[in-house]
RNA sequence: GGUGAGGUGGCCGAGUGGUCGAAGGCGCACGCCUGGAAAGUGUGUAACGGGAAACCGUUCGAGGGUUCGAAUCCCUCCCUCACCGCCA
């Protein structure tokens, strides 16, 4: 959530900045609503103040042994008037809250304008697209050729956009997650977490998936508002929800490997082939909770941690800065890492690293105690994939393929793969 | 799943209808004391919203209700702890 004070002070300027993100703020409407809210709030609070004063007076009178009946009679009308104002105020506040909680974060000054992923700006390229002296296959052909990637059976078990992995590919998938976790904990200083895969609606509100993006989520059929996590960012970031963290404890650096569940509503025609876009996929997620002055630098290091995995696996990739139109709801700035996929002759997203500054923190009321002032202040939160495990496996299959359809095992993974050299 | 006990400030903990945003303690901050420290001692110390400020309002797990007035009474839900049952 944006700082309401900021919007009140200059709604027009905020509206301009949000246009970069394709969000149209009705400035006049907002200001009218806000003006009414303020007026009603003042009236309500005046009534409340009077009621409190009089009630206190009744208490005193009673303690002094006076007759309080006439005083109570005097209060008769007040109650009704107050209730009315309160109800009126609540309607306005709900309306404002709905508006506020649906407003995206303001992009950083550096973020380029643009409509979609085609307008993202390449900031770095690592490695060269892998070349082959034979005709390359995509991961579907490779995986099915090995008899270890089975989409048909998965669709029997569940439906489309699921996959069944077998044998060495199931192991490769596990090895990748293992390798990522070990790297982030042992060399990058993250604390490993095991987290719930089901979260409540408050957590999803905290990180910004709700109320606006409910259709992207799998909701459980339960008495409570429970959802499958669309990313470990949700539980990992919400650890600090409604907490005041001591300044000395920052930064918090969490890493965890979880499945992620996304309904992929609205992407029916996209990436229907293979396991690029699934309803269930594994991801190793990095989350950092930092002091405000550290968050810009933290985005760079967090992104470099994700890049480190690609480099260790010797997978060619490029780093792009998302343009305004492609930027997520909560983010002020996002780097996507796109790995080279020979089967598609294209770079495809494998990691997304974002700084949300205080946007999620405000929704979550996640704060730290500032030593200098002694006052609580909002933390900044960041998250990034380090990396998407399924897509990393696709990249390994396609970049390490051999003419006979077998897959070389990347050097960094050998110890995790029982020291075999090739998957066949 | 059953039974019982609880959820109060950064933490512990008192408070069962009225000068309670809340005793006391810990912690923390600043001072006194000291060569310096510990101990001792004094003062201060919740968050959020509105406001330039004075000040006003809200908040005692969450949401409803009763009342002139609710931390305190009633209802629903959530969570924690203990014991029993069941289970990986």
């Amino acid at each position: 959530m944006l700082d309401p004070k900021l919007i009140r002070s200059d709604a027009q300027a905020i509206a301009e900045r949000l246009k970069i993100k394709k969000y149209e703020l009705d400035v006049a409407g907002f200001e009218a609503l806000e003006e009414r809210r303020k007026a009603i709030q003042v009236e309500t609070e005046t009534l409340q103040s009077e009621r409190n004063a009089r009630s206190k007076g009744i208490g005193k009178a009673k303690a002094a042994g006076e007759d309080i009946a006439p005083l109570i009679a005097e209060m008769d009308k007040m109650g009704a008037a107050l209730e009315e104002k309160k109800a009126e105020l609540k309607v306005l506040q709900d309306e404002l809250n709905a508006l506020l909680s649906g407003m995206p974060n303001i992009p950083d000054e550096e973020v380029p304008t643009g409509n979609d992923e085609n307008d993202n700006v390449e900031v770095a390229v690592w490695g060269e697209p892998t070349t082959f002296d034979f005709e390359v296959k995509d991961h579907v052909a490779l995986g099915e050729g090995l008899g270890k990637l089975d989409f048909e059976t998965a669709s029997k078990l569940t439906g489309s956009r699921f996959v069944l992995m077998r044998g060495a590919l199931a192991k490769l998938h596990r090895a990748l997650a293992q390798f990522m976790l070990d790297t982030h904990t042992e060399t990058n200083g993250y604390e490993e977490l095991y987290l719930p895969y089901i979260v409540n609606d408050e957590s999803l509100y905290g990180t910004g998936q709700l109320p606006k993006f409910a259709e992207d989520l799998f909701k459980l059929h339960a008495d409570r508002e429970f959802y499958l996590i669309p990313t470990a960012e949700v539980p990992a970031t919400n650890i600090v929800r409604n907490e005041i963290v001591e300044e000395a404890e920052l930064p918090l650096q969490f890493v965890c490997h979880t499945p992620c569940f996304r309904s992929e509503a609205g992407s029916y025609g996209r990436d229907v082939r293979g396991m690029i876009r699934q309803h269930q996929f594994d991801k190793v997620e990095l989350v950092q909770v930092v002091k405000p002055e550290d968050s810009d630098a933290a985005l760079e290091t967090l992104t470099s941690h994700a890049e480190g995995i690609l480099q260790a696996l010797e997978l060619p990739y490029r780093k792009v800065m998302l343009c305004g139109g492609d930027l997520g709801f909560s983010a002020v700035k996002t780097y996507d890492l796109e790995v080279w996929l020979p089967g598609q002759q294209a770079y495809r997203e494998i990691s997304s690293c974002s700084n949300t500054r205080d946007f999620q923190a405000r929704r979550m009321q996640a704060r730290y105690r500032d030593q200098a002032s002694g006052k609580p202040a909002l933390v900044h939160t960041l998250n990034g994939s380090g990396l998407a495990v399924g897509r990393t496996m696709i990249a390994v299959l396609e970049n390490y393929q051999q003419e006979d359809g077998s897959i070389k095992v990347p050097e960094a993974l050998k110890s995790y793969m029982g020291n075999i050299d090739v998957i066949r």
Side-chain angles (χ1 to χ4, degrees), chain A residues 4-19:
Chain A
K5 282 182 199 159
L6 199 65
I7 309 172
R8 278 183 217 130
S9 68
D10 197 353
Q12 191 55 53
I14 302 293
E16 288 305 320
R17 303 297 310 284
L18 290 179
K19 275 183 188 160

Side-chain angles (χ1 to χ4, degrees), chain A residues 29 47 60 184 259 274 302 326 337 362-363 378 399 401 408:
Chain A
L47 281 173
K60 281 188 198 173
H184 293 312
L302 187 147
D326 205 24
L337 302 180
R362 186 171 294 106
R363 293 168 87 94
L378 294 171
N399 283 282
Q401 64 178 295
K408 278 194 295 184

Side-chain angles (χ1 to χ4, degrees), chain A residues 22-81:
Chain A
K22 307 276 158 217
Y23 181 89
E24 282 296 332
L25 174 64
D26 172 8
V27 174
F30 173 82
E31 284 175 345
L33 195 58
E34 179 57 27
E35 208 167 301
R36 273 174 63 213
R37 190 225 95 225
K38 195 177 249 179
I40 301 296
Q41 182 166 334
V42 169
E43 287 178 46
T44 308
E45 290 187 356
T46 306
L47 281 173
Q48 280 181 149
S49 170
E50 196 182 332
R51 181 206 64 189
N52 289 349
R54 290 209 199 182
S55 287
K56 203 168 254 186
I58 292 175
K60 281 188 198 173
K62 195 184 176 188
E66 295 168 24
D67 179 20
I68 57 171
L71 293 172
I72 290 176
E74 240 177 81
M75 299 280 286
D76 250 13
K77 277 183 220 151
M78 274 209 64

Side-chain angles (χ1 to χ4, degrees), chain A residues 65-325:
Chain A
E66 295 168 24
D67 179 20
I68 57 171
L71 293 172
I72 290 176
E74 240 177 81
M75 299 280 286
D76 250 13
K77 277 183 220 151
M78 274 209 64
L82 180 57
E83 284 313 307
E84 216 171 283
K85 281 292 169 209
K86 268 187 172 171
E88 203 178 329
L89 181 62
K90 189 176 185 316
V91 170
L92 288 168
Q93 276 173 335
D94 286 351
E95 214 172 312
L96 270 168
N97 272 341
L99 190 65
L100 240 33
S101 61
M103 285 173 69
N105 204 353
I106 298 171
D108 187 88
E109 292 81 359
E110 280 184 59
V111 170
T113 55
N115 295 319
D116 52 38
E117 57 187 47
N118 298 313
D119 298 321
N120 294 340
V121 174
E122 185 178 280
V123 293
V125 179
W126 190 89
E128 297 278 326
T130 322
T131 53
F132 298 88
D133 52 10
F134 54 87
E135 195 167 332
V136 296
K137 301 187 179 83
D138 75 356
H139 71 280
V140 179
L142 289 163
E144 288 182 338
L146 290 165
K148 299 182 196 313
L149 217 49
D150 183 348
F151 295 95
E152 272 188 38
T153 303
S155 80
K156 175 180 75 179
L157 301 178
T158 312
S160 64
R161 291 199 195 279
F162 288 89
V163 70
L164 169 63
M165 295 178 234
R166 292 174 181 261
L169 287 197
K171 184 166 183 169
L172 175 63
H173 189 264
R174 171 162 59 93
L176 282 165
Q178 215 79 307
F179 166 67
M180 293 176 198
L181 278 175
D182 286 347
T183 303
H184 293 312
T185 54
E186 288 161 21
T187 73
N188 297 334
Y190 287 78
E191 179 187 1
E192 181 170 350
L193 304 177
Y194 173 84
L195 293 164
Y197 303 156
I198 295 172
V199 291
N200 59 32
D201 52 340
E202 289 161 282
S203 292
L204 287 158
Y205 177 83
T207 32
Q209 283 78 14
L210 289 179
K212 230 181 172 178
F213 306 102
E215 62 170 24
D216 298 334
L217 302 167
F218 282 109
K219 186 176 184 179
L220 265 47
H221 185 74
D223 296 338
R224 316 264 303 276
E225 288 272 319
F226 281 164
Y227 298 81
L228 295 176
I229 56 170
T231 160
E233 169 198 344
V234 178
T237 308
N238 273 278
I239 287 172
V240 291
R241 172 154 55 90
N242 292 330
E243 299 289 337
I244 299 175
V245 183
E246 287 307 320
E247 185 177 330
E249 290 175 45
L250 298 177
L252 300 175
Q253 298 194 123
F254 299 134
V255 61
C256 51
H257 165 222
T258 72
C260 305
F261 303 93
R262 298 188 183 174
S263 82
E264 294 296 344
S267 60
Y268 295 113
R270 298 188 72 191
D271 302 312
V272 284
R273 180 176 163 83
M275 53 182 288
I276 292 268
R277 192 174 300 275
Q278 303 268 285
H279 287 309
Q280 170 187 321
F281 62 95
D282 278 28
K283 185 153 60 71
V284 169
E285 182 77 1
L286 305 172
V287 164
Q288 292 201 22
V289 178
V290 306
K291 288 190 273 181
E293 62 266 34
D294 296 336
S295 77
D296 286 357
L299 177 63
E300 302 301 321
T301 55
L302 187 147
T303 307
S304 77
H305 293 150
E307 289 179 68
I309 300 294
L310 286 164
Q311 291 170 10
L313 294 171
E314 298 179 78
L315 292 169
Y317 70 91
R318 62 174 197 156
K319 177 175 166 184
V320 300
M321 191 189 295
L322 297 197
C323 71

